Amino acid sequence: MIEARGLSKRFRDKKGGEIRAVDNVSFRCEPGRIYGLLGANGAGKTTTLRILATILEPTDGTAVVCGHDVVEQPEKVRANVGFLSTATALYPRLTAQELVEYFGRLNGLNEATLKKRIDEIFARLDMNGFRDRRCDKLSTGMKQKTSIARTLVHDPPVMIFDEPTLGLDIMTARTITTFIRECRDREKTVIFSTHIMSEVEKLCDVIGIIHDGKLLTEGTLAELRERYAEQDLEEIFVKVVGPLQAKAEALTV
Amino acid sequence: MNLKAVGIVYRKEFTEWVRDRRTLISTVLVPLFLFPLMMVGFSALAVVMVGKAEKETPKIMILGGEDSPQLIANIKKLESLEIVPYAANWKDEISNKDIRAAVEIPKGFEKSLETGQSETVKIYFYDGEIKSSFGANRLEKFLKDYRDTVVKDRLAAKHLPASVLSPFSIKQENVAPPEKVSGATFGSFIGYTVIILCMTGAMYPAIDLTAGEKERGTMETILSSPISRMDLVMGKFFLVFSASLATAILSVISMGTSFAILGHTHLMNTSGGQTLALNLGLLSVTSVFVMALPLSFLFSAVLMTVALFAKSYKEAQSYLTPMTFLIVIPAVASMMPGVELTPKLALIPILNTSLVCKEIISGTYHWNSIVLIFASTCVYAGAALFLAFKTFQRESVLFRS
């Protein structure tokens, strides 16, 4: 389970000013459900997910992941999390198997368990044909499968996906969305950020709309449709974000 | 610190490191072949070039001297010189290397000799050009011999012995053993080269494991794993340190081999015919290596810290290249004549190691200085590693955009 409590993250910009990338965000993700964080570019999705994965530390607030505080016990949090984004690249000079083994060992798996896990994952993801091929020689689809295997090797109860399909072709993106569904079916807690409406509609059990670092609204798709009297998610998004966007634009003019 | 986790990171970094062709060049090929190339190659080349220059019969032009036929005749008799006819553009001919030197005989030279008046014979040559210097030297030798003959004749005319001019003679005698002479000559150069190679050995992996990782997008991948930042830094650091040490070990081995080869080929004969015996025994080689240890440690930590600030490999190179000069300056300072190890200089990193290497190679072991240098460099290295660790915890550095 993930519980974010008043998460905030501020950065200094180049002119010494302050950027509120995440501003007092609170939400809860339950096991066996997919929480979709929907927002435009720069809305604060990546920063929120990086805080949950303990890659960044919050300026204020905290989050609890699988009973561990992200500020107090970051290493324990990471041991329970699988983090996948388009920014999480692979080591080019390692083979697919060596890479997955490396992350398995870092997660504390012993050699016997590691071998069993790798055989199982590689068979499930149909990776045996390229297990000994170096990552820099893999196709995009093979790389994505290797990344999935990396996040799965320690069988974490929480999966965090930061725009995992960004820039991928349809077939590779489909591999990812299928994998996300499988995670839910295995009772994992899944949080997933995107700006693609169709992905959210297809995958998410709970949707949170984030804009300018603030979580503006959240609920199931049905609840959002009822709350905003719109069927189409894009229209709902515009209704939620539009007025704030217009206000911000007026201020800049 | 979790040693198991550090070991896992180290093993993975090592695997990637040995699979990189650039590593082979910077860590193995450069130190292994730089010394033999520099020492054996340059020495052999110098011997060949000097030999060739010595074999040449230099073309010499005589300026004036029409009223000194005896001197001219004597010069022309010399087989070691080729006299060419006078040309007004003799200076250009020297510059253009058409002739090697010119000798100007003053007007009425022989008459002045008879009357006892002192005249100056000028030799013109092109300074820095070895063949021109050889030509000028042969001319000077001939003229000195000629002068001595004149002096002897004058003394004989007055029935005076030759010892009138030199009532006593002076001779300098060297008491330093040959290996110390050679150590003083080559010691600073060896120390300098080992230091530079320690740095170049660490430079590439330091960039690859920090800025390279950011550029490839694997930094976020590794930061999402449960390993602590400290273990990650230590694993990476030990790899950079290993690379630096590997370069240092290979360079020391290569250095020992190069000097052994030189010793056998007599390429290092001094002008006095004495061979420069460089005694690079196991003790001095081991000592140089031990002194290079903390310095390698320091370089590894500093280079990693600086390279981490960069977003890309190229940016890291642009930060580290000026740093090379910062390292070269103290290393070169130790090669300057008169710079000797003092307690104050023993605290200046790089310079101290370079100076102590010079002393070790010449067979002098000042244990107080050695301990002080080793300890002070260890302290600097520890501080640099702490800085590297702190830098790895800064989000603004890791996620600089």
Side-chain angles (χ1 to χ4, degrees):
Chain A
M1 197 184 71
I2 300 172
E3 191 178 355
R5 299 169 188 159
L7 278 186
S8 292
K9 183 70 183 176
R10 294 188 290 273
F11 294 111
R12 291 246 159 243
D13 65 12
K14 282 178 185 169
K15 290 173 185 165
E18 196 176 75
I19 301 167
R20 284 176 172 267
V22 178
D23 193 2
N24 197 23
V25 168
S26 301
F27 59 87
R28 203 179 154 94
C29 319
E30 304 285 348
R33 289 171 78 80
I34 300 174
Y35 189 102
L37 209 50
L38 182 64
N41 291 337
K45 306 185 296 288
T46 296
T47 308
T48 306
L49 297 190
R50 279 179 173 175
I51 292 172
L52 294 178
T54 76
I55 293 168
L56 295 178
E57 219 177 277
T59 316
D60 289 311
T62 191
V64 175
V65 178
C66 285
H68 303 292
D69 190 288
V70 292
V71 180
E72 305 293 328
Q73 301 160 297
E75 280 133 38
K76 285 189 175 164
V77 169
R78 289 199 293 274
N80 285 287
V81 164
F83 181 71
L84 182 72
S85 83
T86 39
T88 48
L90 304 173
Y91 289 105
R93 297 191 287 269
L94 292 187
T95 66
Q97 180 168 333
E98 284 168 343
L99 185 124
V100 180
E101 278 173 351
Y102 176 49
F103 281 88
R105 289 188 186 112
L106 288 177
N107 278 287
L109 300 185
N110 62 43
E111 292 303 310
T113 315
L114 183 60
K115 191 184 177 306
K116 204 176 143 213
R117 283 289 298 160
I118 286 180
D119 287 345
E120 196 184 297
I121 295 168
F122 276 42
R124 188 174 4 134
L125 294 172
D126 193 21
M127 289 175 65
N128 285 321
F130 60 87
R131 65 193 295 161
D132 294 322
R133 205 182 296 174
R134 273 171 55 151
C135 291
D136 56 357
K137 304 273 186 261
L138 300 179
S139 68
T140 315
M142 289 170 180
K143 280 182 183 166
Q144 280 306 319
K145 283 185 177 181
T146 310
S147 286
I148 292 170
R150 169 187 67 77
T151 58
L152 275 183
V153 68
H154 56 302
D155 196 18
V158 172
M159 298 297 296
I160 300 173
F161 298 95
D162 182 22
E163 305 206 61
T165 58
L166 191 72
L168 299 181
D169 63 63
I170 295 168
M171 295 313 285
T172 318
R174 206 176 161 81
T175 313
I176 301 277
T177 48
T178 310
F179 170 59
I180 294 171
R181 273 201 199 94
E182 278 176 21
C183 289
R184 174 178 55 192
D185 298 343
R186 286 167 189 261
E187 284 299 305
K188 291 182 190 295
T189 306
V190 181
I191 184 163
F192 162 70
S193 81
T194 186
H195 61 267
I196 304 166
M197 307 290 163
S198 58
E199 273 185 357
V200 177
E201 283 178 320
K202 272 192 275 181
L203 284 170
C204 300
D205 301 302
V206 182
I207 302 160
I209 295 178
I210 189 166
H211 181 74
D212 210 11
K214 294 184 180 71
L215 188 67
L216 300 178
T217 188
E218 68 171 349
T220 63
L221 185 57
E223 283 168 352
L224 293 180
R225 279 174 176 157
E226 198 187 324
R227 199 178 301 158
Y228 295 96
E230 287 286 353
Q231 283 303 300
D232 186 50
L233 184 60
E234 196 174 313
E235 292 305 321
I236 295 171
F237 184 80
V238 171
K239 266 196 170 174
V240 174
V241 171
L244 289 167
Q245 182 87 23
K247 204 172 157 186
E249 278 167 10
L251 280 171
T252 32
V253 174
Chain B
M1 187 167 64
N2 178 348
L3 284 178
K4 195 181 170 195
V6 173
I8 292 168
V9 174
Y10 181 84
R11 265 172 56 196
K12 173 258 162 190
E13 298 295 2
F14 184 80
T15 308
E16 281 214 290
W17 180 56
V18 294
R19 285 181 187 168
D20 192 357
R21 210 173 295 160
R22 285 173 293 187
T23 299
L24 188 73
I25 296 167
S26 70
T27 315
V28 183
L29 295 182
V30 169
L32 266 186
F33 295 107
L34 189 70
F35 264 112
L37 201 72
M38 281 171 71
M39 297 306 300
V40 184
F42 286 153
S43 305
L45 191 69
V47 168
V48 169
M49 295 309 285
V50 170
K52 215 172 168 184
E54 273 179 337
K55 272 181 197 164
E56 187 195 86
T57 307
K59 287 181 181 172
I60 303 293
M61 192 179 282
I62 300 170
L63 315 174
E66 293 83 0
D67 50 5
S68 305
Q70 204 184 333
L71 176 66
I72 302 290
N74 282 337
I75 293 175
K76 283 184 177 173
K77 261 191 236 166
L78 287 171
E79 282 181 4
S80 59
L81 298 173
E82 184 188 338
I83 309 300
V84 298
Y86 172 79
N89 63 340
W90 55 271
K91 267 192 183 171
D92 293 338
E93 290 203 16
I94 294 175
S95 301
N96 298 335
K97 299 169 191 173
D98 294 329
I99 61 169
R100 297 300 178 191
V103 56
E104 189 181 42
I105 316 288
K107 210 173 177 187
F109 176 75
E110 284 182 358
K111 209 166 201 171
S112 299
L113 276 184
E114 282 166 21
T115 57
Q117 266 186 297
S118 183
E119 295 283 356
T120 305
V121 178
K122 280 186 186 168
I123 298 170
Y124 297 95
F125 76 112
Y126 202 96
D127 198 6
E129 218 283 294
I130 191 166
K131 289 180 181 173
S132 184
S133 298
F134 280 147
N137 288 345
R138 283 181 198 179
L139 268 175
E140 192 175 346
K141 190 181 176 299
F142 161 75
L143 288 168
K144 276 180 178 170
D145 291 347
Y146 187 71
R147 186 177 61 187
D148 289 347
T149 314
V150 171
V151 170
K152 271 182 195 166
D153 290 349
R154 283 180 184 176
L155 289 172
K158 292 184 177 173
H159 307 289
L160 288 170
S163 61
V164 165
L165 288 179
S166 51
F168 62 92
S169 55
I170 306 158
K171 194 183 176 192
Q172 288 190 1
E173 281 264 350
N174 168 40
V175 295
E179 66 268 22
K180 296 231 173 190
V181 176
S182 311
T185 313
F186 293 102
S188 50
F189 168 73
I190 290 167
Y192 165 81
T193 314
V194 170
I195 287 167
I196 296 297
L197 287 174
C198 277
M199 198 208 66
T200 52
M203 194 192 269
Y204 171 66
I207 296 175
D208 194 51
L209 267 60
T210 52
E213 188 139 2
K214 278 190 195 175
E215 191 174 14
R216 291 188 293 268
T218 49
M219 190 62 96
E220 198 164 328
T221 316
I222 189 66
L223 292 179
S224 70
S225 80
I227 189 166
S228 73
R229 299 267 164 102
M230 186 179 195
D231 296 340
L232 181 64
V233 174
M234 292 310 287
K236 284 176 179 289
F237 166 76
F238 281 126
L239 191 275
V240 178
F241 184 44
S242 305
S244 176
L245 281 187
T247 311
I249 293 169
L250 289 173
S251 62
V252 169
I253 292 172
S254 163
M255 181 172 74
T257 316
S258 302
F259 280 105
I261 294 168
L262 280 176
H264 282 101
T265 52
H266 302 287
L267 287 173
M268 287 159 75
N269 283 3
T270 59
S271 52
Q274 188 189 9
T275 303
L276 282 173
L278 197 63
N279 187 11
L280 282 182
L282 192 64
L283 179 66
S284 53
V285 168
T286 314
S287 306
V288 168
F289 174 70
V290 169
M291 295 312 291
L293 268 174
L295 200 61
S296 276
F297 195 109
L298 176 66
F299 285 151
S300 305
V302 170
L303 293 177
M304 254 178 76
T305 309
V306 176
L308 189 64
F309 279 90
K311 285 180 287 185
S312 66
Y313 200 94
K314 269 190 179 173
E315 191 184 338
Q317 276 180 319
S318 69
Y319 292 163
L320 296 188
T321 308
M323 275 192 68
T324 315
F325 294 107
L326 287 179
I327 289 159
V328 165
I329 292 164
V332 167
S334 73
M335 295 168 81
M336 283 160 53
V339 181
E340 285 183 348
L341 198 54
T342 60
K344 273 185 188 171
L345 291 185
L347 295 174
I348 300 175
I350 304 162
L351 176 65
N352 56 9
T353 309
S354 191
L355 285 171
V356 84
C357 285
K358 187 160 101 176
E359 295 211 338
I360 287 170
I361 288 161
S362 63
T364 311
Y365 289 82
H366 292 302
W367 290 106
N368 288 347
S369 302
I370 289 173
V371 170
L372 183 62
I373 290 166
F374 192 85
S376 65
T377 313
C378 281
V379 170
Y380 301 137
L385 185 61
F386 179 73
L387 190 68
F389 173 60
K390 283 284 167 200
T391 312
F392 252 90
Q393 288 183 314
R394 285 177 60 187
E395 289 172 359
S396 57
V397 175
L398 289 175
F399 297 98
R400 221 186 102 213
S401 58

